CSV table of all heavy atoms in Angstrom, one decimal:
chain,number,residue,atom,x,y,z
A,11,SER,N,17.8,31.6,-38.2
A,11,SER,CA,18.1,31.5,-39.6
A,11,SER,C,17.0,30.9,-40.4
A,11,SER,O,16.9,31.1,-41.6
A,11,SER,CB,19.4,30.6,-39.8
A,11,SER,OG,19.1,29.3,-39.4
A,12,GLY,N,16.1,30.2,-39.7
A,12,GLY,CA,14.9,29.6,-40.4
A,12,GLY,C,15.2,28.3,-41.1
A,12,GLY,O,14.4,27.7,-41.7
A,13,ASN,N,16.5,27.8,-40.9
A,13,ASN,CA,16.9,26.6,-41.6
A,13,ASN,C,16.6,25.3,-40.8
A,13,ASN,O,16.7,24.2,-41.4
A,13,ASN,CB,18.4,26.7,-41.9
A,13,ASN,CG,18.7,27.8,-42.9
A,13,ASN,OD1,17.9,28.1,-43.8
A,13,ASN,ND2,19.9,28.4,-42.7
A,14,ARG,N,16.3,25.4,-39.6
A,14,ARG,CA,16.0,24.2,-38.8
A,14,ARG,C,14.8,24.5,-37.8
A,14,ARG,O,14.5,25.6,-37.5
A,14,ARG,CB,17.2,23.7,-38.0
A,14,ARG,CG,17.7,24.7,-37.0
A,14,ARG,CD,19.0,24.2,-36.4
A,14,ARG,NE,19.5,25.1,-35.4
A,14,ARG,CZ,19.1,25.1,-34.1
A,14,ARG,NH1,18.3,24.1,-33.7
A,14,ARG,NH2,19.6,25.9,-33.2
A,15,ILE,N,14.2,23.4,-37.4
A,15,ILE,CA,13.1,23.4,-36.5
A,15,ILE,C,13.6,23.3,-35.1
A,15,ILE,O,14.4,22.5,-34.8
A,15,ILE,CB,12.1,22.3,-36.9
A,15,ILE,CG1,11.6,22.5,-38.3
A,15,ILE,CG2,10.9,22.3,-35.9
A,15,ILE,CD1,10.8,23.7,-38.6
A,16,LEU,N,13.0,24.1,-34.2
A,16,LEU,CA,13.3,24.0,-32.8
A,16,LEU,C,12.5,22.8,-32.2
A,16,LEU,O,11.4,22.9,-31.8
A,16,LEU,CB,13.0,25.3,-32.1
A,16,LEU,CG,13.7,26.5,-32.6
A,16,LEU,CD1,13.2,27.8,-31.9
A,16,LEU,CD2,15.2,26.4,-32.5
A,17,LYS,N,13.1,21.6,-32.2
A,17,LYS,CA,12.4,20.4,-31.9
A,17,LYS,C,11.8,20.4,-30.5
A,17,LYS,O,10.7,19.9,-30.3
A,17,LYS,CB,13.4,19.2,-32.0
A,17,LYS,CG,13.9,18.9,-33.4
A,17,LYS,CD,14.6,17.6,-33.5
A,17,LYS,CE,15.9,17.6,-32.7
A,17,LYS,NZ,16.6,16.4,-32.8
A,18,ASP,N,12.5,21.1,-29.5
A,18,ASP,CA,12.0,21.1,-28.1
A,18,ASP,C,10.7,21.8,-28.1
A,18,ASP,O,9.8,21.4,-27.3
A,18,ASP,CB,13.0,21.8,-27.2
A,18,ASP,CG,14.3,21.0,-27.0
A,18,ASP,OD1,14.2,19.8,-27.3
A,18,ASP,OD2,15.3,21.5,-26.5
A,19,LYS,N,10.5,22.9,-28.9
A,19,LYS,CA,9.2,23.6,-28.8
A,19,LYS,C,8.1,22.7,-29.4
A,19,LYS,O,6.9,22.7,-28.9
A,19,LYS,CB,9.3,24.9,-29.6
A,19,LYS,CG,10.2,25.9,-28.8
A,19,LYS,CD,10.0,27.3,-29.4
A,19,LYS,CE,10.8,28.3,-28.6
A,19,LYS,NZ,10.6,29.7,-29.1
A,20,VAL,N,8.4,22.0,-30.5
A,20,VAL,CA,7.4,21.1,-31.1
A,20,VAL,C,7.0,20.0,-30.1
A,20,VAL,O,5.9,19.7,-30.0
A,20,VAL,CB,7.9,20.6,-32.4
A,20,VAL,CG1,6.9,19.6,-33.0
A,20,VAL,CG2,8.2,21.7,-33.4
A,21,ILE,N,8.0,19.4,-29.5
A,21,ILE,CA,7.8,18.3,-28.6
A,21,ILE,C,6.9,18.8,-27.4
A,21,ILE,O,6.0,18.1,-27.0
A,21,ILE,CB,9.2,17.8,-28.0
A,21,ILE,CG1,9.9,17.0,-29.2
A,21,ILE,CG2,9.0,16.8,-26.8
A,21,ILE,CD1,11.3,16.6,-28.8
A,22,GLU,N,7.2,20.0,-26.9
A,22,GLU,CA,6.4,20.5,-25.8
A,22,GLU,C,4.9,20.7,-26.2
A,22,GLU,O,4.0,20.3,-25.5
A,22,GLU,CB,6.9,21.9,-25.4
A,22,GLU,CG,6.2,22.6,-24.3
A,22,GLU,CD,6.8,23.9,-23.9
A,22,GLU,OE1,7.8,24.3,-24.5
A,22,GLU,OE2,6.2,24.6,-23.1
A,23,ARG,N,4.7,21.1,-27.5
A,23,ARG,CA,3.3,21.2,-27.9
A,23,ARG,C,2.6,19.9,-28.1
A,23,ARG,O,1.5,19.7,-27.7
A,23,ARG,CB,3.2,22.0,-29.3
A,23,ARG,CG,3.3,23.5,-29.2
A,23,ARG,CD,2.0,24.1,-28.5
A,23,ARG,NE,0.8,23.6,-29.2
A,23,ARG,CZ,0.3,24.1,-30.3
A,23,ARG,NH1,0.9,25.1,-30.9
A,23,ARG,NH2,-0.8,23.6,-30.8
A,24,VAL,N,3.4,18.9,-28.6
A,24,VAL,CA,2.8,17.6,-28.8
A,24,VAL,C,2.5,17.0,-27.4
A,24,VAL,O,1.4,16.4,-27.2
A,24,VAL,CB,3.8,16.7,-29.5
A,24,VAL,CG1,3.3,15.2,-29.5
A,24,VAL,CG2,4.0,17.1,-31.0
A,25,GLU,N,3.3,17.2,-26.5
A,25,GLU,CA,3.1,16.6,-25.1
A,25,GLU,C,1.8,17.2,-24.5
A,25,GLU,O,1.0,16.6,-23.8
A,25,GLU,CB,4.3,16.8,-24.2
A,25,GLU,CG,5.5,16.0,-24.6
A,25,GLU,CD,6.7,16.3,-23.8
A,25,GLU,OE1,6.7,17.3,-23.1
A,25,GLU,OE2,7.7,15.5,-23.9
A,26,LYS,N,1.6,18.5,-24.7
A,26,LYS,CA,0.4,19.2,-24.2
A,26,LYS,C,-0.9,18.6,-24.9
A,26,LYS,O,-1.9,18.4,-24.2
A,26,LYS,CB,0.5,20.7,-24.4
A,26,LYS,CG,1.5,21.4,-23.5
A,26,LYS,CD,1.5,22.9,-23.7
A,26,LYS,CE,2.5,23.6,-22.7
A,26,LYS,NZ,2.6,25.0,-23.0
A,27,ILE,N,-0.8,18.4,-26.2
A,27,ILE,CA,-1.9,17.8,-26.9
A,27,ILE,C,-2.2,16.4,-26.4
A,27,ILE,O,-3.4,16.1,-26.2
A,27,ILE,CB,-1.6,17.8,-28.4
A,27,ILE,CG1,-1.6,19.2,-29.0
A,27,ILE,CG2,-2.7,17.0,-29.2
A,27,ILE,CD1,-1.1,19.3,-30.4
A,28,MET,N,-1.2,15.6,-26.2
A,28,MET,CA,-1.4,14.3,-25.6
A,28,MET,C,-2.0,14.3,-24.3
A,28,MET,O,-3.0,13.5,-24.0
A,28,MET,CB,-0.1,13.5,-25.6
A,28,MET,CG,0.6,13.2,-26.9
A,28,MET,SD,-0.4,12.2,-28.0
A,28,MET,CE,-1.2,13.4,-29.0
A,29,GLU,N,-1.6,15.2,-23.4
A,29,GLU,CA,-2.1,15.3,-22.1
A,29,GLU,C,-3.6,15.8,-22.1
A,29,GLU,O,-4.4,15.3,-21.3
A,29,GLU,CB,-1.3,16.3,-21.2
A,29,GLU,CG,-1.6,16.3,-19.7
A,29,GLU,CD,-1.5,14.9,-19.1
A,29,GLU,OE1,-0.6,14.1,-19.6
A,29,GLU,OE2,-2.2,14.6,-18.2
A,30,LYS,N,-3.9,16.7,-23.0
A,30,LYS,CA,-5.3,17.2,-23.2
A,30,LYS,C,-6.3,16.1,-23.5
A,30,LYS,O,-7.4,16.1,-23.0
A,30,LYS,CB,-5.2,18.3,-24.3
A,30,LYS,CG,-6.6,18.8,-24.7
A,30,LYS,CD,-6.4,19.8,-25.8
A,30,LYS,CE,-7.8,20.3,-26.3
A,30,LYS,NZ,-7.6,21.2,-27.5
A,31,HIS,N,-5.8,15.1,-24.3
A,31,HIS,CA,-6.8,14.1,-24.7
A,31,HIS,C,-6.6,12.7,-24.0
A,31,HIS,O,-7.2,11.8,-24.4
A,31,HIS,CB,-6.6,13.9,-26.2
A,31,HIS,CG,-7.0,15.1,-27.0
A,31,HIS,ND1,-8.3,15.5,-27.2
A,31,HIS,CD2,-6.2,16.0,-27.7
A,31,HIS,CE1,-8.3,16.5,-28.0
A,31,HIS,NE2,-7.1,16.9,-28.3
A,32,ARG,N,-5.7,12.7,-23.0
A,32,ARG,CA,-5.4,11.4,-22.4
A,32,ARG,C,-6.6,10.8,-21.6
A,32,ARG,O,-6.7,9.6,-21.5
A,32,ARG,CB,-4.2,11.6,-21.4
A,32,ARG,CG,-3.6,10.2,-21.0
A,32,ARG,CD,-2.3,10.4,-20.2
A,32,ARG,NE,-1.4,11.2,-20.9
A,32,ARG,CZ,-0.7,10.8,-21.9
A,32,ARG,NH1,-0.8,9.6,-22.4
A,32,ARG,NH2,0.2,11.7,-22.5
A,33,LYS,N,-7.4,11.6,-21.1
A,33,LYS,CA,-8.6,11.1,-20.3
A,33,LYS,C,-9.5,10.3,-21.3
A,33,LYS,O,-10.0,9.2,-20.9
A,33,LYS,CB,-9.4,12.2,-19.7
A,33,LYS,CG,-10.5,11.8,-18.8
A,33,LYS,CD,-11.2,12.9,-18.2
A,33,LYS,CE,-12.4,12.5,-17.3
A,33,LYS,NZ,-13.1,13.6,-16.6
A,34,ALA,N,-9.7,10.8,-22.5
A,34,ALA,CA,-10.5,10.1,-23.4
A,34,ALA,C,-9.8,8.9,-24.1
A,34,ALA,O,-10.4,7.9,-24.5
A,34,ALA,CB,-11.1,11.0,-24.5
A,35,PHE,N,-8.5,9.1,-24.2
A,35,PHE,CA,-7.7,8.0,-24.9
A,35,PHE,C,-6.4,7.7,-24.0
A,35,PHE,O,-5.4,8.2,-24.2
A,35,PHE,CB,-7.2,8.5,-26.3
A,35,PHE,CG,-8.3,9.0,-27.2
A,35,PHE,CD1,-8.6,10.3,-27.3
A,35,PHE,CD2,-9.1,8.0,-27.8
A,35,PHE,CE1,-9.6,10.7,-28.2
A,35,PHE,CE2,-10.1,8.4,-28.6
A,35,PHE,CZ,-10.4,9.8,-28.8
A,36,PRO,N,-6.6,6.8,-23.0
A,36,PRO,CA,-5.5,6.5,-22.1
A,36,PRO,C,-4.3,5.9,-22.7
A,36,PRO,O,-3.2,6.0,-22.1
A,36,PRO,CB,-6.2,5.5,-21.1
A,36,PRO,CG,-7.7,5.7,-21.3
A,36,PRO,CD,-7.8,6.1,-22.8
A,37,ASN,N,-4.4,5.4,-23.9
A,37,ASN,CA,-3.2,4.7,-24.5
A,37,ASN,C,-2.4,5.7,-25.4
A,37,ASN,O,-1.5,5.2,-26.1
A,37,ASN,CB,-3.6,3.5,-25.3
A,37,ASN,CG,-4.2,2.4,-24.5
A,37,ASN,OD1,-3.8,2.2,-23.4
A,37,ASN,ND2,-5.2,1.7,-25.0
A,38,LEU,N,-2.6,6.9,-25.3
A,38,LEU,CA,-1.8,7.9,-26.1
A,38,LEU,C,-0.4,7.9,-25.5
A,38,LEU,O,-0.2,7.8,-24.3
A,38,LEU,CB,-2.4,9.3,-25.9
A,38,LEU,CG,-3.7,9.6,-26.7
A,38,LEU,CD1,-4.2,11.0,-26.4
A,38,LEU,CD2,-3.5,9.5,-28.2
A,39,PRO,N,0.6,8.1,-26.4
A,39,PRO,CA,2.0,8.2,-26.0
A,39,PRO,C,2.2,9.5,-25.2
A,39,PRO,O,1.4,10.4,-25.3
A,39,PRO,CB,2.8,8.2,-27.3
A,39,PRO,CG,1.8,8.6,-28.3
A,39,PRO,CD,0.5,8.1,-27.9
A,40,PHE,N,3.3,9.6,-24.5
A,40,PHE,CA,3.5,10.8,-23.7
A,40,PHE,C,4.3,11.8,-24.4
A,40,PHE,O,4.2,13.0,-24.1
A,40,PHE,CB,4.2,10.4,-22.4
A,40,PHE,CG,3.4,9.7,-21.4
A,40,PHE,CD1,3.2,8.3,-21.4
A,40,PHE,CD2,2.6,10.4,-20.5
A,40,PHE,CE1,2.4,7.7,-20.5
A,40,PHE,CE2,1.8,9.8,-19.6
A,40,PHE,CZ,1.7,8.4,-19.6
A,41,THR,N,5.1,11.4,-25.4
A,41,THR,CA,5.9,12.4,-26.1
A,41,THR,C,6.3,11.8,-27.5
A,41,THR,O,5.8,10.8,-27.9
A,41,THR,CB,7.2,12.6,-25.4
A,41,THR,OG1,7.9,13.7,-26.0
A,41,THR,CG2,8.2,11.4,-25.4
A,42,ILE,N,7.0,12.6,-28.3
A,42,ILE,CA,7.4,12.3,-29.6
A,42,ILE,C,8.9,12.5,-29.7
A,42,ILE,O,9.5,13.4,-29.0
A,42,ILE,CB,6.7,13.1,-30.7
A,42,ILE,CG1,7.0,12.7,-32.1
A,42,ILE,CG2,6.9,14.6,-30.5
A,42,ILE,CD1,6.2,13.4,-33.2
A,43,ASN,N,9.6,11.8,-30.6
A,43,ASN,CA,11.0,12.0,-30.9
A,43,ASN,C,11.2,12.3,-32.3
A,43,ASN,O,10.6,11.7,-33.2
A,43,ASN,CB,11.8,10.7,-30.5
A,43,ASN,CG,11.8,10.4,-29.0
A,43,ASN,OD1,12.0,11.3,-28.2
A,43,ASN,ND2,11.4,9.2,-28.6
A,44,PHE,N,12.1,13.2,-32.6
A,44,PHE,CA,12.5,13.6,-33.9
A,44,PHE,C,14.0,13.3,-34.1
A,44,PHE,O,14.9,13.7,-33.4
A,44,PHE,CB,12.3,15.1,-34.2
A,44,PHE,CG,10.9,15.5,-34.1
A,44,PHE,CD1,10.4,16.2,-33.0
A,44,PHE,CD2,10.0,15.2,-35.1
A,44,PHE,CE1,9.1,16.6,-32.8
A,44,PHE,CE2,8.6,15.6,-35.0
A,44,PHE,CZ,8.2,16.3,-33.8
A,45,GLU,N,14.3,12.5,-35.2
A,45,GLU,CA,15.7,12.2,-35.5
A,45,GLU,C,16.4,13.4,-36.1
A,45,GLU,O,17.6,13.6,-35.9
A,45,GLU,CB,15.8,11.0,-36.4
A,45,GLU,CG,15.3,9.7,-35.7
A,45,GLU,CD,15.4,8.5,-36.6
A,45,GLU,OE1,15.9,8.7,-37.8
A,45,GLU,OE2,15.0,7.4,-36.2
A,46,GLN,N,15.7,14.2,-36.9
A,46,GLN,CA,16.3,15.3,-37.6
A,46,GLN,C,15.5,16.6,-37.3
A,46,GLN,O,14.4,16.5,-36.8
A,46,GLN,CB,16.3,15.1,-39.1
A,46,GLN,CG,17.1,13.8,-39.6
A,46,GLN,CD,17.0,13.6,-41.1
A,46,GLN,OE1,17.3,14.5,-41.9
A,46,GLN,NE2,16.7,12.4,-41.5
A,47,ASP,N,16.1,17.7,-37.6
A,47,ASP,CA,15.4,19.0,-37.3
A,47,ASP,C,15.2,19.8,-38.6
A,47,ASP,O,14.9,21.0,-38.5
A,47,ASP,CB,16.3,19.8,-36.3
A,47,ASP,CG,17.6,20.2,-36.8
A,47,ASP,OD1,18.0,19.9,-38.0
A,47,ASP,OD2,18.4,20.8,-36.1
A,48,THR,N,15.2,19.2,-39.8
A,48,THR,CA,14.8,19.9,-41.0
A,48,THR,C,13.3,20.0,-41.1
A,48,THR,O,12.6,19.1,-40.5
A,48,THR,CB,15.4,19.3,-42.3
A,48,THR,OG1,14.8,18.0,-42.4
A,48,THR,CG2,16.9,19.1,-42.2
A,49,LEU,N,12.8,20.9,-41.8
A,49,LEU,CA,11.3,21.1,-41.9
A,49,LEU,C,10.7,19.8,-42.5
A,49,LEU,O,9.7,19.3,-41.9
A,49,LEU,CB,11.0,22.3,-42.7
A,49,LEU,CG,9.5,22.6,-42.9
A,49,LEU,CD1,8.8,22.8,-41.5
A,49,LEU,CD2,9.3,23.9,-43.8
A,50,PRO,N,11.1,19.3,-43.7
A,50,PRO,CA,10.5,18.1,-44.2
A,50,PRO,C,10.5,16.9,-43.3
A,50,PRO,O,9.5,16.2,-43.1
A,50,PRO,CB,11.3,17.8,-45.5
A,50,PRO,CG,11.9,19.1,-45.8
A,50,PRO,CD,12.2,19.8,-44.5
């Protein structure tokens, strides 16, 4: 419907980005949490 964000897909991308840069920045978090799924 386009009215909400698929949070799982965004979380997956964020986790890949964190893993990609973890060697240079060991203190990066492993994941992100979203309380809501609206675009804003």
Side-chain angles (χ1 to χ4, degrees):
S11 64
N13 295 327
R14 63 186 183 86
I15 300 299
L16 304 176
K17 295 190 294 183
D18 290 346
K19 289 192 174 183
V20 178
I21 291 171
E22 182 182 356
R23 276 293 308 279
V24 171
E25 290 175 348
K26 287 181 179 179
I27 291 171
M28 295 298 96
E29 191 58 33
K30 173 183 175 182
H31 296 286
R32 195 172 308 284
K33 184 177 180 180
F35 305 102
N37 293 326
L38 286 175
F40 287 88
T41 191
I42 185 175
N43 294 311
F44 297 105
E45 294 182 3
Q46 302 178 49
D47 61 3
T48 64
L49 181 59

